[in-house]
Amino acid sequence: MWRIVGTYVLRFLLLLLLGSLGIFALLRIMPGNPAEVALGVTATEENAAELSAQWGTDRPLHQQYLDWVGSMVRGDFGASLSSGQEIAPLLVDRGAVSLILCLSALVLSLCLAVPLGMAATRKKAGAVISGLSQVGIAVPSFLAAIVLVSVFSLRLGWFPANGWVPPSEGAGAFLSRLVLPVLSLAAVQAAILTRYVRSALLEVLSQDFMRTAYATGQGRIAALMTHGLRNAAIPVLTVTGVQLTSLVVGAVVIEKVFVIPGLGSLLLDAVSNRDLLMVQAIVMVLVLFTLTINLAVDIATTLIDPRLRAPHRLRAGSPARGAAA
């Protein structure tokens, strides 16, 4: 078990290293000088050179990379080239907002997808739910956001159209501004997850242990809850991890639509200002988040499925070994 987890961790660290190299290289080959962008159209070569020396962007690339990685390991992301603010506190504040938004959307999508996927295994309900989920997949999250704002905010006036209030300033104001962004993200994700839950459960229902459960007197729902969901959890868990990373991408647009101060809006502002250090830091945080989710999914599937924890035992029970014995 620990050897398998160690392999996952080593792969995580290797991918993190490759991700940092890719981010650094891609941003360095982009045209333009950050110092000239910061100084404006009236910048002279001397002023640009002086500012580049101050920021360290005139040093050799390998030295810039090593300094950047070393600072990140210490938790120091430097200062924004456009505003001069420390990047680390901004990442913590904005990242907390994006994390609340994405996790809330994921929990809601799972609460919708699991019962709908179970209901979709029946023939009569399956066609209707599958059709609705196909429509949900086809609708982009920003379009769902516009429709929700038009109906529930502008027409009915139930929720605010935009803005953000931290939880510390009042639960009511916080939740009222969280509902529409979360629904915009969760609607699409629930449609995708519903199809995977239905597919996984249909495969489980055809297994012998489910027929045995029926033979012992268990009903359909009881057998699914007792035996079906755990056996269908592995593919659903894998897809959920992938969908959580896609939620982060969708949140970039949703944060702009609802004027939410998250990582997505911070990233777009940094790109428009040619803030190299800020873009590097945000993209690196997103890469770290994605790889951490993948690592958590790999470990969780290993814990759920005993066959992944002891592959040597499966090999020991192969026909060839048995015949030799």
PDB file of all heavy atoms in Angstrom, residues 146-170:
ATOM      1  N   ILE A 146     -26.072  33.569 -17.400  1.00  0.00           N
ATOM      2  CA  ILE A 146     -26.864  34.682 -17.935  1.00  0.00           C
ATOM      3  C   ILE A 146     -28.362  34.411 -17.788  1.00  0.00           C
ATOM      4  O   ILE A 146     -29.142  35.292 -17.409  1.00  0.00           O
ATOM      5  CB  ILE A 146     -26.489  34.928 -19.408  1.00  0.00           C
ATOM      6  CG1 ILE A 146     -25.040  35.419 -19.498  1.00  0.00           C
ATOM      7  CG2 ILE A 146     -27.432  35.937 -20.047  1.00  0.00           C
ATOM      8  CD1 ILE A 146     -24.517  35.531 -20.911  1.00  0.00           C
ATOM      9  N   VAL A 147     -28.772  33.167 -18.068  1.00  0.00           N
ATOM     10  CA  VAL A 147     -30.195  32.813 -17.942  1.00  0.00           C
ATOM     11  C   VAL A 147     -30.639  32.899 -16.486  1.00  0.00           C
ATOM     12  O   VAL A 147     -31.722  33.435 -16.173  1.00  0.00           O
ATOM     13  CB  VAL A 147     -30.432  31.396 -18.514  1.00  0.00           C
ATOM     14  CG1 VAL A 147     -31.861  30.941 -18.209  1.00  0.00           C
ATOM     15  CG2 VAL A 147     -30.181  31.370 -20.013  1.00  0.00           C
ATOM     16  N   LEU A 148     -29.824  32.398 -15.581  1.00  0.00           N
ATOM     17  CA  LEU A 148     -30.185  32.435 -14.164  1.00  0.00           C
ATOM     18  C   LEU A 148     -30.280  33.871 -13.647  1.00  0.00           C
ATOM     19  O   LEU A 148     -31.188  34.194 -12.870  1.00  0.00           O
ATOM     20  CB  LEU A 148     -29.152  31.647 -13.351  1.00  0.00           C
ATOM     21  CG  LEU A 148     -29.182  30.125 -13.514  1.00  0.00           C
ATOM     22  CD1 LEU A 148     -28.017  29.491 -12.773  1.00  0.00           C
ATOM     23  CD2 LEU A 148     -30.500  29.553 -13.008  1.00  0.00           C
ATOM     24  N   VAL A 149     -29.369  34.721 -14.060  1.00  0.00           N
ATOM     25  CA  VAL A 149     -29.426  36.126 -13.650  1.00  0.00           C
ATOM     26  C   VAL A 149     -30.678  36.794 -14.207  1.00  0.00           C
ATOM     27  O   VAL A 149     -31.362  37.561 -13.503  1.00  0.00           O
ATOM     28  CB  VAL A 149     -28.157  36.863 -14.103  1.00  0.00           C
ATOM     29  CG1 VAL A 149     -28.312  38.369 -13.932  1.00  0.00           C
ATOM     30  CG2 VAL A 149     -26.951  36.377 -13.314  1.00  0.00           C
ATOM     31  N   SER A 150     -30.998  36.509 -15.474  1.00  0.00           N
ATOM     32  CA  SER A 150     -32.180  37.119 -16.095  1.00  0.00           C
ATOM     33  C   SER A 150     -33.471  36.730 -15.385  1.00  0.00           C
ATOM     34  O   SER A 150     -34.366  37.560 -15.201  1.00  0.00           O
ATOM     35  CB  SER A 150     -32.251  36.720 -17.574  1.00  0.00           C
ATOM     36  OG  SER A 150     -31.094  37.144 -18.267  1.00  0.00           O
ATOM     37  N   VAL A 151     -33.548  35.461 -14.966  1.00  0.00           N
ATOM     38  CA  VAL A 151     -34.788  34.962 -14.367  1.00  0.00           C
ATOM     39  C   VAL A 151     -34.863  35.288 -12.876  1.00  0.00           C
ATOM     40  O   VAL A 151     -35.816  35.924 -12.398  1.00  0.00           O
ATOM     41  CB  VAL A 151     -34.921  33.442 -14.596  1.00  0.00           C
ATOM     42  CG1 VAL A 151     -36.152  32.892 -13.859  1.00  0.00           C
ATOM     43  CG2 VAL A 151     -35.012  33.128 -16.082  1.00  0.00           C
ATOM     44  N   PHE A 152     -33.848  34.847 -12.122  1.00  0.00           N
ATOM     45  CA  PHE A 152     -33.939  34.910 -10.664  1.00  0.00           C
ATOM     46  C   PHE A 152     -33.465  36.236 -10.077  1.00  0.00           C
ATOM     47  O   PHE A 152     -33.754  36.517  -8.910  1.00  0.00           O
ATOM     48  CB  PHE A 152     -33.130  33.767 -10.047  1.00  0.00           C
ATOM     49  CG  PHE A 152     -33.692  32.419 -10.353  1.00  0.00           C
ATOM     50  CD1 PHE A 152     -33.116  31.612 -11.324  1.00  0.00           C
ATOM     51  CD2 PHE A 152     -34.808  31.959  -9.680  1.00  0.00           C
ATOM     52  CE1 PHE A 152     -33.641  30.364 -11.606  1.00  0.00           C
ATOM     53  CE2 PHE A 152     -35.338  30.709  -9.961  1.00  0.00           C
ATOM     54  CZ  PHE A 152     -34.761  29.915 -10.933  1.00  0.00           C
ATOM     55  N   SER A 153     -32.744  37.025 -10.849  1.00  0.00           N
ATOM     56  CA  SER A 153     -32.277  38.297 -10.317  1.00  0.00           C
ATOM     57  C   SER A 153     -33.031  39.475 -10.925  1.00  0.00           C
ATOM     58  O   SER A 153     -33.637  40.267 -10.209  1.00  0.00           O
ATOM     59  CB  SER A 153     -30.771  38.447 -10.566  1.00  0.00           C
ATOM     60  OG  SER A 153     -30.301  39.663 -10.048  1.00  0.00           O
ATOM     61  N   LEU A 154     -33.014  39.577 -12.268  1.00  0.00           N
ATOM     62  CA  LEU A 154     -33.633  40.736 -12.901  1.00  0.00           C
ATOM     63  C   LEU A 154     -35.155  40.659 -12.904  1.00  0.00           C
ATOM     64  O   LEU A 154     -35.835  41.657 -12.680  1.00  0.00           O
ATOM     65  CB  LEU A 154     -33.105  40.858 -14.334  1.00  0.00           C
ATOM     66  CG  LEU A 154     -31.583  41.049 -14.466  1.00  0.00           C
ATOM     67  CD1 LEU A 154     -31.196  41.174 -15.932  1.00  0.00           C
ATOM     68  CD2 LEU A 154     -31.117  42.271 -13.684  1.00  0.00           C
ATOM     69  N   ARG A 155     -35.703  39.464 -13.153  1.00  0.00           N
ATOM     70  CA  ARG A 155     -37.156  39.346 -13.251  1.00  0.00           C
ATOM     71  C   ARG A 155     -37.808  39.102 -11.894  1.00  0.00           C
ATOM     72  O   ARG A 155     -38.763  39.784 -11.522  1.00  0.00           O
ATOM     73  CB  ARG A 155     -37.528  38.220 -14.221  1.00  0.00           C
ATOM     74  CG  ARG A 155     -39.034  38.038 -14.407  1.00  0.00           C
ATOM     75  CD  ARG A 155     -39.334  37.105 -15.559  1.00  0.00           C
ATOM     76  NE  ARG A 155     -38.828  37.645 -16.830  1.00  0.00           N
ATOM     77  CZ  ARG A 155     -38.964  37.030 -18.011  1.00  0.00           C
ATOM     78  NH1 ARG A 155     -39.583  35.868 -18.084  1.00  0.00           N
ATOM     79  NH2 ARG A 155     -38.466  37.583 -19.101  1.00  0.00           N
ATOM     80  N   LEU A 156     -37.323  38.099 -11.154  1.00  0.00           N
ATOM     81  CA  LEU A 156     -37.949  37.760  -9.884  1.00  0.00           C
ATOM     82  C   LEU A 156     -37.365  38.532  -8.704  1.00  0.00           C
ATOM     83  O   LEU A 156     -38.042  38.696  -7.682  1.00  0.00           O
ATOM     84  CB  LEU A 156     -37.815  36.248  -9.626  1.00  0.00           C
ATOM     85  CG  LEU A 156     -38.495  35.336 -10.660  1.00  0.00           C
ATOM     86  CD1 LEU A 156     -38.221  33.870 -10.330  1.00  0.00           C
ATOM     87  CD2 LEU A 156     -39.995  35.596 -10.710  1.00  0.00           C
ATOM     88  N   GLY A 157     -36.115  38.953  -8.827  1.00  0.00           N
ATOM     89  CA  GLY A 157     -35.481  39.707  -7.754  1.00  0.00           C
ATOM     90  C   GLY A 157     -35.179  38.903  -6.508  1.00  0.00           C
ATOM     91  O   GLY A 157     -35.094  39.458  -5.408  1.00  0.00           O
ATOM     92  N   TRP A 158     -34.982  37.596  -6.660  1.00  0.00           N
ATOM     93  CA  TRP A 158     -34.718  36.751  -5.503  1.00  0.00           C
ATOM     94  C   TRP A 158     -33.279  36.850  -5.015  1.00  0.00           C
ATOM     95  O   TRP A 158     -33.020  36.753  -3.815  1.00  0.00           O
ATOM     96  CB  TRP A 158     -35.055  35.295  -5.825  1.00  0.00           C
ATOM     97  CG  TRP A 158     -36.516  35.037  -6.005  1.00  0.00           C
ATOM     98  CD1 TRP A 158     -37.536  35.934  -5.844  1.00  0.00           C
ATOM     99  CD2 TRP A 158     -37.124  33.799  -6.374  1.00  0.00           C
ATOM    100  NE1 TRP A 158     -38.749  35.340  -6.087  1.00  0.00           N
ATOM    101  CE2 TRP A 158     -38.532  34.014  -6.415  1.00  0.00           C
ATOM    102  CE3 TRP A 158     -36.651  32.533  -6.669  1.00  0.00           C
ATOM    103  CZ2 TRP A 158     -39.430  33.016  -6.748  1.00  0.00           C
ATOM    104  CZ3 TRP A 158     -37.538  31.526  -7.006  1.00  0.00           C
ATOM    105  CH2 TRP A 158     -38.917  31.767  -7.045  1.00  0.00           C
ATOM    106  N   PHE A 159     -32.329  36.988  -5.949  1.00  0.00           N
ATOM    107  CA  PHE A 159     -30.921  36.977  -5.593  1.00  0.00           C
ATOM    108  C   PHE A 159     -30.219  38.166  -6.246  1.00  0.00           C
ATOM    109  O   PHE A 159     -30.649  38.647  -7.295  1.00  0.00           O
ATOM    110  CB  PHE A 159     -30.246  35.670  -6.052  1.00  0.00           C
ATOM    111  CG  PHE A 159     -30.888  34.433  -5.510  1.00  0.00           C
ATOM    112  CD1 PHE A 159     -31.711  33.665  -6.312  1.00  0.00           C
ATOM    113  CD2 PHE A 159     -30.669  34.036  -4.201  1.00  0.00           C
ATOM    114  CE1 PHE A 159     -32.304  32.511  -5.830  1.00  0.00           C
ATOM    115  CE2 PHE A 159     -31.250  32.890  -3.704  1.00  0.00           C
ATOM    116  CZ  PHE A 159     -32.080  32.130  -4.515  1.00  0.00           C
ATOM    117  N   PRO A 160     -29.116  38.636  -5.664  1.00  0.00           N
ATOM    118  CA  PRO A 160     -28.341  39.711  -6.293  1.00  0.00           C
ATOM    119  C   PRO A 160     -27.736  39.238  -7.613  1.00  0.00           C
ATOM    120  O   PRO A 160     -27.417  38.059  -7.789  1.00  0.00           O
ATOM    121  CB  PRO A 160     -27.253  40.019  -5.262  1.00  0.00           C
ATOM    122  CG  PRO A 160     -27.757  39.459  -3.978  1.00  0.00           C
ATOM    123  CD  PRO A 160     -28.605  38.286  -4.331  1.00  0.00           C
ATOM    124  N   ALA A 161     -27.575  40.162  -8.531  1.00  0.00           N
ATOM    125  CA  ALA A 161     -27.053  39.814  -9.851  1.00  0.00           C
ATOM    126  C   ALA A 161     -25.556  39.603  -9.840  1.00  0.00           C
ATOM    127  O   ALA A 161     -25.023  38.844 -10.661  1.00  0.00           O
ATOM    128  CB  ALA A 161     -27.407  40.906 -10.873  1.00  0.00           C
ATOM    129  N   ASN A 162     -24.834  40.248  -8.940  1.00  0.00           N
ATOM    130  CA  ASN A 162     -23.381  40.085  -8.904  1.00  0.00           C
ATOM    131  C   ASN A 162     -22.880  40.522  -7.531  1.00  0.00           C
ATOM    132  O   ASN A 162     -23.653  40.914  -6.661  1.00  0.00           O
ATOM    133  CB  ASN A 162     -22.704  40.904 -10.010  1.00  0.00           C
ATOM    134  CG  ASN A 162     -23.138  42.362 -10.010  1.00  0.00           C
ATOM    135  OD1 ASN A 162     -23.193  43.003  -8.968  1.00  0.00           O
ATOM    136  ND2 ASN A 162     -23.469  42.892 -11.182  1.00  0.00           N
ATOM    137  N   GLY A 163     -21.567  40.463  -7.376  1.00  0.00           N
ATOM    138  CA  GLY A 163     -20.942  40.871  -6.123  1.00  0.00           C
ATOM    139  C   GLY A 163     -20.584  39.682  -5.253  1.00  0.00           C
ATOM    140  O   GLY A 163     -20.943  38.536  -5.535  1.00  0.00           O
ATOM    141  N   TRP A 164     -19.834  39.978  -4.208  1.00  0.00           N
ATOM    142  CA  TRP A 164     -19.364  38.936  -3.290  1.00  0.00           C
ATOM    143  C   TRP A 164     -19.271  39.508  -1.886  1.00  0.00           C
ATOM    144  O   TRP A 164     -18.795  40.623  -1.683  1.00  0.00           O
ATOM    145  CB  TRP A 164     -17.993  38.430  -3.735  1.00  0.00           C
ATOM    146  CG  TRP A 164     -17.409  37.393  -2.826  1.00  0.00           C
ATOM    147  CD1 TRP A 164     -16.501  37.589  -1.817  1.00  0.00           C
ATOM    148  CD2 TRP A 164     -17.692  35.992  -2.837  1.00  0.00           C
ATOM    149  NE1 TRP A 164     -16.205  36.405  -1.202  1.00  0.00           N
ATOM    150  CE2 TRP A 164     -16.917  35.399  -1.807  1.00  0.00           C
ATOM    151  CE3 TRP A 164     -18.522  35.186  -3.606  1.00  0.00           C
ATOM    152  CZ2 TRP A 164     -16.944  34.043  -1.544  1.00  0.00           C
ATOM    153  CZ3 TRP A 164     -18.554  33.827  -3.342  1.00  0.00           C
ATOM    154  CH2 TRP A 164     -17.775  33.265  -2.330  1.00  0.00           C
ATOM    155  N   VAL A 165     -19.731  38.727  -0.933  1.00  0.00           N
ATOM    156  CA  VAL A 165     -19.654  39.090   0.483  1.00  0.00           C
ATOM    157  C   VAL A 165     -18.989  37.935   1.212  1.00  0.00           C
ATOM    158  O   VAL A 165     -19.449  36.795   1.119  1.00  0.00           O
ATOM    159  CB  VAL A 165     -21.051  39.357   1.077  1.00  0.00           C
ATOM    160  CG1 VAL A 165     -20.959  39.593   2.580  1.00  0.00           C
ATOM    161  CG2 VAL A 165     -21.701  40.551   0.404  1.00  0.00           C
ATOM    162  N   PRO A 166     -17.900  38.173   1.958  1.00  0.00           N
ATOM    163  CA  PRO A 166     -17.250  37.087   2.696  1.00  0.00           C
ATOM    164  C   PRO A 166     -18.177  36.503   3.756  1.00  0.00           C
ATOM    165  O   PRO A 166     -19.074  37.193   4.257  1.00  0.00           O
ATOM    166  CB  PRO A 166     -16.027  37.773   3.341  1.00  0.00           C
ATOM    167  CG  PRO A 166     -15.818  39.019   2.553  1.00  0.00           C
ATOM    168  CD  PRO A 166     -17.172  39.448   2.078  1.00  0.00           C
ATOM    169  N   PRO A 167     -17.986  35.228   4.112  1.00  0.00           N
ATOM    170  CA  PRO A 167     -18.848  34.615   5.141  1.00  0.00           C
ATOM    171  C   PRO A 167     -18.779  35.340   6.483  1.00  0.00           C
ATOM    172  O   PRO A 167     -19.747  35.323   7.240  1.00  0.00           O
ATOM    173  CB  PRO A 167     -18.285  33.192   5.257  1.00  0.00           C
ATOM    174  CG  PRO A 167     -17.551  32.949   3.982  1.00  0.00           C
ATOM    175  CD  PRO A 167     -17.035  34.272   3.530  1.00  0.00           C
ATOM    176  N   SER A 168     -17.652  35.986   6.763  1.00  0.00           N
ATOM    177  CA  SER A 168     -17.500  36.669   8.053  1.00  0.00           C
ATOM    178  C   SER A 168     -18.403  37.890   8.184  1.00  0.00           C
ATOM    179  O   SER A 168     -18.634  38.371   9.301  1.00  0.00           O
ATOM    180  CB  SER A 168     -16.047  37.087   8.244  1.00  0.00           C
ATOM    181  OG  SER A 168     -15.621  37.938   7.191  1.00  0.00           O
ATOM    182  N   GLU A 169     -18.922  38.383   7.067  1.00  0.00           N
ATOM    183  CA  GLU A 169     -19.757  39.588   7.103  1.00  0.00           C
ATOM    184  C   GLU A 169     -21.251  39.282   7.113  1.00  0.00           C
ATOM    185  O   GLU A 169     -22.062  40.184   6.941  1.00  0.00           O
ATOM    186  CB  GLU A 169     -19.423  40.484   5.903  1.00  0.00           C
ATOM    187  CG  GLU A 169     -17.997  41.025   5.928  1.00  0.00           C
ATOM    188  CD  GLU A 169     -17.738  41.994   4.801  1.00  0.00           C
ATOM    189  OE1 GLU A 169     -18.719  42.381   4.117  1.00  0.00           O
ATOM    190  OE2 GLU A 169     -16.570  42.378   4.600  1.00  0.00           O
ATOM    191  N   GLY A 170     -21.601  38.029   7.278  1.00  0.00           N
ATOM    192  CA  GLY A 170     -23.022  37.677   7.362  1.00  0.00           C
ATOM    193  C   GLY A 170     -23.351  36.491   6.486  1.00  0.00           C
ATOM    194  O   GLY A 170     -23.075  36.505   5.278  1.00  0.00           O
TER     195      GLY A 170
END
